[in-house]
Amino acid sequence: MQNLKKAILFLEDGLFFNGKSLGSLGETSGEVCFNTGMTGYQEILTDPSYAKQMIVMSSPHIGNYGTNNHDKESNKIFATGFIIKSDSLQPSNWRSESSLKTFLSENKIVGIQDIDTRALTIHIRKKGAMRGIISTEDFDIGSLRTKMENVSNMEGQDLAIEVARKEKMTLCNVDKPLFKIAAIDFGMKSNIYDIMLTNEAEVEIFPADVTYEEILSSNPDGVFLSNGPGDPSAVSYGIETVKKLLGKKPIFGICLGHQILALALGAKTFKMKFGHRGINQPVKNLITNQVEITSQNHGFAVEEKSLPSNIKVTHKHLNDDTIAGISCNEISAYSVQYHPEASPGPHDSRYVFKEFFNMMRKNAKT
C-alpha cells in the first residue's frame, strides 16, 4: 500500500479519529455530515449545497470507478473535506479519467481515510451534525479544540450568495424553445438545467440576489428556485424576491428553493439533527399514495405546524415524517425537499419536472 501521511479528524464534542491522508495535505474545517450513498461521490463533492461541509461516506469502499469530467455538478468541489473508510487503489471503469485522490488533490481538498466511518455515522446520528477539523499537520488536541472556536455553525449562515453565479447566463439547445424559465441560482446543480434544456426550454439563470423586477422584465413562463447551501432563513433577499413573485408566475423550488418558497409563503424552517443526505431516501406522495426512493441533501426542513392554511403538504419523508413537498395551487407554486434530477440517485421523481412544464403550459393559456 502507498505510504500515506497521518491525519486526524477532531469533532467539536472532543471525539477524534486517527487515520491517513486523502487528497491534499493541510488543514480544513466545516460541519461534519454523513451521506448514505454507495455511489455518486463525484456529484456529491461538486454539489454547491455542500459548501462549508465535510462529507462522511458511510459506505466503506469509495473511489472504485474513479472520476471524470462529465459527472461534475459544478466547476469545482464545494465540500471542504472528505471522510471515507477505504479509497480504491486502482479505479476501474471505462469512463474513468483520474482517481478520487487525484481529483481531490487537484482541487486542493483535504480528506481523511482509514477511519471507522460507520462508527462516525452512528455518532452523528446520536449526537447530531457537528463542526469538525481535518488536519495532517496539527495533532495536538488542545490546539485543535482552540481552533474549533473559529469554525462557524451552520445556523444563520447565508452561503447561497457565496456559491451562486455572479452574472446572468442564458442556455438553450433549440431554435424555438417551448418554455422560457427564469432560474434563481442559490447553488444550482448542472443536471437540473440539463433536464430543462432536454425539455426544449430556454433557461435564464440569475444570481441569487436578483430582484423581482429583473425576473419579471424577462417575462418568463415560470420561475425556478434552485438548491443551495446554508440556512434558508438567512437568505432574506431571496425570500423577499419570491414574496413579490408569488401569483405573478408559476413557481417551482427544489431543496433550498423549497425552503425559501415556504418562508416566502409565511412558514418557518428549522435545523435538523443530522439531516437527510443520500440516494436512498423514502418519500410518500400523499396525492397518489405512491412511495418514491429519492436523492436528498439538506440539513434544514420546513416546520409543518407553521404552514399557512392555503399550503398543502404533498410529500412526506417516511423515515421521520418531515415535509418533503408542498403546493399552493391558488398561486401556481409548489416545491419538493428532495432532488428529482437525482444526480446521483434514482429517477423515481423525474415526473416533478413534468408538473412544472404542465403548470407553465396551463398558465400560458389563461
Side-chain angles (χ1 to χ4, degrees):
M1 184 176 177
Q2 56 186 325
N3 187 24
L4 300 171
K5 191 169 182 180
K6 180 181 176 183
I8 188 172
L9 167 65
F10 179 78
L11 302 178
E12 67 174 283
D13 67 352
L15 183 67
F16 64 91
F17 293 80
N18 289 312
K20 301 291 179 59
S21 63
L22 175 69
S24 287
L25 301 179
E27 195 166 284
T28 189
S29 62
E31 181 184 66
V32 181
C33 56
F34 63 86
N35 188 296
T36 56
M38 296 177 66
T39 62
Y41 49 83
Q42 186 174 2
E43 294 94 329
I44 291 165
L45 283 164
T46 54
D47 180 352
S49 296
Y50 278 110
K52 299 291 180 72
Q53 291 180 312
M54 303 199 298
I55 307 164
V56 183
M57 299 299 292
S58 60
S59 183
H61 300 292
I62 302 296
N64 306 53
Y65 54 87
T67 64
N68 59 67
N69 285 323
H70 302 288
D71 290 342
K72 296 186 293 184
E73 286 298 314
S74 63
N75 59 3
K76 69 174 187 177
I77 292 179
F78 281 90
T80 55
F82 203 46
I83 304 164
I84 67 172
K85 167 61 178 173
S86 178
D87 180 33
S88 176
L89 295 179
Q90 184 61 53
S92 178
N93 187 278
W94 66 274
R95 298 174 71 244
S96 177
E97 296 172 7
S98 66
S99 66
L100 171 62
K101 57 181 175 289
T102 299
F103 184 59
L104 293 170
S105 296
E106 289 176 348
N107 285 273
K108 297 180 173 55
I109 300 300
V110 178
I112 185 171
Q113 62 178 308
D114 200 24
I115 71 167
D116 189 341
T117 51
R118 291 184 173 178
L120 175 56
T121 296
I122 291 170
H123 183 73
I124 294 173
R125 279 184 58 90
K126 289 181 178 179
K127 302 293 185 178
M130 63 185 73
R131 296 170 297 163
I133 297 173
I134 299 173
S135 182
T136 62
E137 303 168 340
D138 186 356
F139 300 95
D140 183 86
I141 300 304
S143 173
L144 292 171
R145 184 173 285 111
T146 300
K147 290 177 181 178
M148 189 68 71
E149 296 175 4
N150 295 319
V151 181
S152 300
N153 286 306
M154 192 58 68
E155 292 98 326
Q157 284 203 66
D158 173 17
L159 300 181
I161 199 68
E162 296 184 23
V163 305
R165 67 195 69 229
K166 307 306 178 187
E167 297 179 356
K168 174 184 170 182
M169 174 186 290
T170 301
L171 303 173
C172 190
N173 291 340
V174 294
D175 294 330
K176 295 182 179 180
L178 300 179
F179 308 97
K180 184 178 183 180
I181 300 171
I184 304 181
D185 178 12
F186 298 113
M188 191 173 181
K189 295 170 65 179
S190 64
N191 200 43
I192 293 175
Y193 59 72
D194 284 344
I195 290 175
M196 294 176 177
L197 294 173
T198 301
N199 284 272
E200 299 185 59
E202 177 185 294
V203 185
E204 289 186 319
I205 307 177
F206 292 88
D209 57 357
V210 62
T211 65
Y212 86 100
E213 291 94 346
E214 291 176 90
I215 295 289
L216 292 180
S217 66
S218 73
N219 194 30
D221 297 306
V223 177
F224 172 72
L225 313 177
S226 87
N227 63 293
D231 187 339
S233 64
V235 192
S236 56
Y237 49 88
I239 298 168
E240 289 305 311
T241 294
V242 175
K243 280 183 180 180
K244 295 175 181 177
L245 289 170
L246 295 174
K248 302 288 195 306
K249 298 287 182 179
I251 297 177
F252 168 41
I254 289 176
C255 205
L256 183 70
H258 156 79
Q259 297 157 4
I260 288 174
L261 175 61
L263 289 164
L265 287 165
K268 296 179 181 178
T269 56
F270 66 96
K271 180 77 164 65
M272 304 174 75
K273 185 176 181 180
F274 50 80
H276 300 148
R277 296 176 182 88
I279 58 178
N280 49 4
Q281 306 287 319
V283 164
K284 184 176 182 178
N285 183 322
L286 302 182
I287 309 301
T288 65
N289 283 325
Q290 291 183 314
V291 175
E292 308 159 23
I293 302 303
T294 69
S295 176
Q296 298 196 19
N297 169 26
H298 63 103
F300 291 82
V302 175
E303 184 182 278
E304 185 168 4
K305 66 180 181 180
S306 72
L307 290 175
S309 58
N310 63 334
I311 299 180
K312 182 177 184 178
V313 177
T314 59
H315 299 75
K316 281 289 192 77
H317 196 294
L318 291 179
N319 285 348
D320 58 12
D321 206 38
T322 52
I323 291 175
I326 60 171
S327 69
C328 187
N329 293 334
E330 62 192 54
I331 56 171
S332 298
Y334 79 109
S335 59
V336 291
Q337 182 63 83
Y338 51 88
H339 283 269
E341 83 287 350
S343 184
H347 294 174
D348 298 25
S349 306
R350 287 285 174 92
Y351 70 89
V352 174
F353 285 97
K354 292 182 180 179
E355 292 181 357
F356 186 40
F357 300 130
N358 290 335
M359 186 181 290
M360 289 188 290
R361 191 178 292 111
K362 181 180 178 181
N363 186 73
K365 293 178 180 178
T366 58

